[in-house]
Amino acid sequence: AQSVAQPEDQVNVAEGNPLTVKCTYSVSGNPYLFWYVQYPNRGLQFLLKYITGDNLVKGSYGFEAEFNKSQTSFHLKKPSALVSDSALYFCAVRDIGDYKLSFGAGTTVTVRA
Amino acid sequence: DAGVTQSPTHLIKTRGQQVTLRCSPKSGHDTVSWYQQALGQGPQFIFQYYEEEERQRGNFPDRFSGHQFPNYSSELNVNALLLGDSALYLCASSQGTLTNEQFFGPGTRLTVL
């Protein structure tokens, strides 16, 4: 069975500071990993994915994520946060051969001016 | 290019009633997945449709059923509604292989009274 854990319900940072949102996963095989962002009353927007290859993945809006197989982690990062990055962030995993996405509970990011 | 569209936006039903939600996938996408997102939680996979067949199902009762049409659009039907079915229902579309990301619609907010 596949699962995702986002250990922090909330992350608060000042604008211009680095932002990190943590994610760990559990799968039986090699994972496909995704990050999505959700703004109030909106659907989920795709940010980035890891399928294979380079452990550092770059995505939309200046976000990047680092895949760490030994720690089964896929943390989302942004070097300099903006107030507009304030939203709900979801990590998701798909096990090879599985069609469903399993999501974490989400992390609310608040960036203060 | 229109993204994933869902209708209706909001819906209010009473216990025991039946509801049908609709989804049109992003242009070029042939696969539709449905998710239930309860308040304060991550999306939970209901099922996925491909080539008009249910390809995979999550841990949802048979009261939840679906359909995919030849134009790839899809419906989610829920019978004998319970209070616990109140949630945001998200449709996601994708194309081709398992490595492709899913694109989400804005969702349908279902309230069961």
Side-chain angles (χ1 to χ4, degrees), chain A:
Chain A
Q2 57 194 42
S3 65
V4 172
Q6 293 182 241
E8 299 162 316
D9 292 336
Q10 291 197 341
V11 170
N12 298 304
V13 298
E15 188 172 36
N17 282 1
L19 170 63
T20 298
V21 186
K22 296 179 180 178
C23 170
T24 59
Y25 66 89
S26 175
V27 295
S28 57
N30 291 320
Y32 298 149
L33 293 155
F34 303 82
W35 275 101
Y36 286 85
V37 60
Q38 186 175 35
Y39 297 98
N41 301 313
R42 301 278 296 276
L44 278 66
Q45 294 181 29
F46 169 75
L47 284 178
L48 51 78
K49 66 181 178 183
Y50 171 82
I51 302 302
T52 187
D54 194 348
N55 289 341
L56 185 63
V57 178
K58 294 188 182 296
S60 306
Y61 313 117
F63 284 94
E64 59 188 30
E66 186 167 10
F67 171 65
N68 188 316
K69 188 172 184 178
S70 63
Q71 297 186 3
T72 61
S73 67
F74 189 56
H75 301 332
L76 180 70
K77 300 180 181 181
K78 187 171 184 179
S80 178
L82 301 172
V83 172
S84 57
D85 293 328
S86 298
L88 182 56
Y89 290 79
F90 289 100
C91 180
V93 67
R94 177 189 287 145
D95 206 345
I96 288 183
D98 204 336
Y99 295 106
K100 72 176 183 183
L101 277 177
S102 294
F103 285 85
T107 298
T108 299
V109 170
T110 302
V111 182
R112 60 185 185 278

Side-chain angles (χ1 to χ4, degrees), chain B residues 93-104:
Chain B
S93 73
S94 56
Q95 193 274 334
T97 69
L98 290 171
T99 59
N100 286 337
E101 60 272 23
Q102 295 181 0
F103 288 81
F104 284 78

Side-chain angles (χ1 to χ4, degrees), chain B residues 1 4 9-10 12 14 18 22 27 39 41 43 46 48 56 60 62 64-66 73 84 87 94 97-98 103 111:
Chain B
D1 174 30
V4 179
T9 305
H10 294 88
I12 299 175
T14 57
Q18 177 266 343
R22 295 176 176 83
S27 178
L39 201 60
Q41 298 183 21
I46 303 175
Q48 184 180 92
Q56 186 173 356
F60 279 81
D62 292 344
F64 290 76
S65 63
S73 67
S94 56
T97 69
L98 290 171
F103 288 81
T111 301

